[in-house]
Amino acid sequence: VLHTARELPSTNDAVAELRRTGLPSPQVVLAESQTAGRGRRGRQWESPLGACFCGSIGWTFTGGFSVLEGLSLAAGVAVVNALKRYGMAGAGLKWPNDIMVGNAKLGGVLIELQAEANGLCHVVLGIGLNLALPAGLAERLGREITDVQSCSNGPLARNRLGGLLLDELLQLLARYEANGFAAWRTQWGELDVMRGRLVEVTGLERPVTGIATGVDERGALLVECDDGLVTVAAGEVSLREA
């Protein structure tokens, strides 16, 4: 089921509503713009009209939450693979769900889950990707951002890139329950922009500072601290100067 719209509050919310109406999985919603798009931890995701890829996919898994460990990381790999097929090089991944070019953010992944008592787990996988941002947006937001147009040669082919993104993500979802994060862990490590760098993780009982050394088999971040290796399952990660 594919729905497109000029503007929606949130493509993730639109997919969730389609599922509630009983439409079969997968449900796919694309929009030219979102007025209430969400990033991590409820942050607003800026998506000016026609400037971003705003898309969400609804998928139902039968094995419960445990089979979904690392899914947001694997989705990042799928997005980078789509960008490579499109002809754009240089994209990397920052744990847990940011698409990066150098230190500038290109996009992100947002996964929302709902489990049922019978073991079904409904996933909404949202992708926000900057395509051609208006001038001055980075200054207004106060952080480094970039877009596909700036990192590619030739005119922006939005429909072609959108098709590649959906192809990679639907393949990922179809394979994930059987393969888990293990099938994507090596490639995620090759795209990791934090590995070997000093990081600080906040949002925990106490901040964790150390050298990022990759992720474990469940997709948790590994940080080598002065007192040993720390496994981080959730939190906010910032790169720090050594």
Side-chain angles (χ1 to χ4, degrees):
V1 179
L2 171 63
H3 283 245
T4 61
R6 177 178 171 85
E7 184 177 275
L8 289 171
S10 161
T11 56
N12 269 30
D13 290 349
V15 163
E17 183 58 35
L18 290 176
R19 184 187 65 77
R20 285 191 288 268
T21 65
L23 288 175
S25 174
Q27 306 94 16
V28 180
V29 174
L30 306 177
E32 293 280 354
S33 176
Q34 295 182 114
T35 58
R38 297 185 296 279
R40 290 192 71 229
R41 298 175 177 262
R43 295 190 184 95
Q44 182 178 1
W45 177 269
E46 295 269 354
S47 51
L49 184 64
C52 301
F53 175 87
C54 306
S56 299
I57 303 172
W59 194 277
T60 298
F61 292 90
T62 59
F65 280 129
S66 60
V67 302
L68 303 181
E69 290 179 333
L71 179 58
S72 66
L73 280 72
V77 173
V79 171
V80 173
N81 285 342
L83 291 168
K84 289 178 179 177
R85 290 172 61 189
Y86 177 76
M88 185 192 130
L93 299 172
K94 176 177 175 285
W95 187 90
N97 59 2
D98 288 344
I99 317 299
M100 308 290 291
V101 177
N103 291 325
K105 186 169 179 176
L106 179 71
V109 177
L110 177 65
I111 290 182
E112 297 176 317
L113 310 174
Q114 182 180 13
E116 295 184 0
N118 59 8
L120 294 179
C121 187
H122 305 290
V123 173
V124 181
L125 192 164
I127 301 295
L129 197 67
N130 300 329
L131 298 181
L133 297 175
L137 184 59
E139 290 75 10
R140 181 162 64 83
L141 296 176
R143 60 178 183 269
E144 288 188 71
I145 56 176
T146 190
D147 57 29
V148 173
Q149 180 69 82
S150 301
C151 302
S152 305
N153 296 319
L156 182 66
R158 297 168 70 244
N159 289 343
R160 177 170 173 265
L161 177 56
L164 293 171
L165 287 166
L166 291 179
D167 183 53
E168 289 286 344
L169 291 165
L170 289 168
Q171 287 189 61
L172 162 73
L173 291 166
R175 296 170 52 198
Y176 204 80
E177 192 155 3
N179 296 284
F181 181 59
W184 284 270
R185 184 185 178 191
T186 296
Q187 193 176 0
W188 196 94
E190 293 169 352
L191 298 169
D192 183 3
V193 301
M194 299 191 308
R195 191 179 186 93
R197 300 176 68 179
L198 182 66
V199 299
E200 180 182 30
V201 187
T202 56
L204 312 173
E205 289 186 6
R206 63 179 183 86
V208 170
T209 301
I211 302 298
T213 61
V215 296
D216 68 10
E217 66 279 357
R218 298 175 303 147
L221 178 66
L222 302 175
V223 182
E224 187 66 49
C225 303
D226 291 340
D227 53 354
L229 189 66
V230 175
T231 301
V232 179
E236 194 74 13
V237 183
S238 302
L239 293 168
R240 293 287 180 255
E241 295 297 330

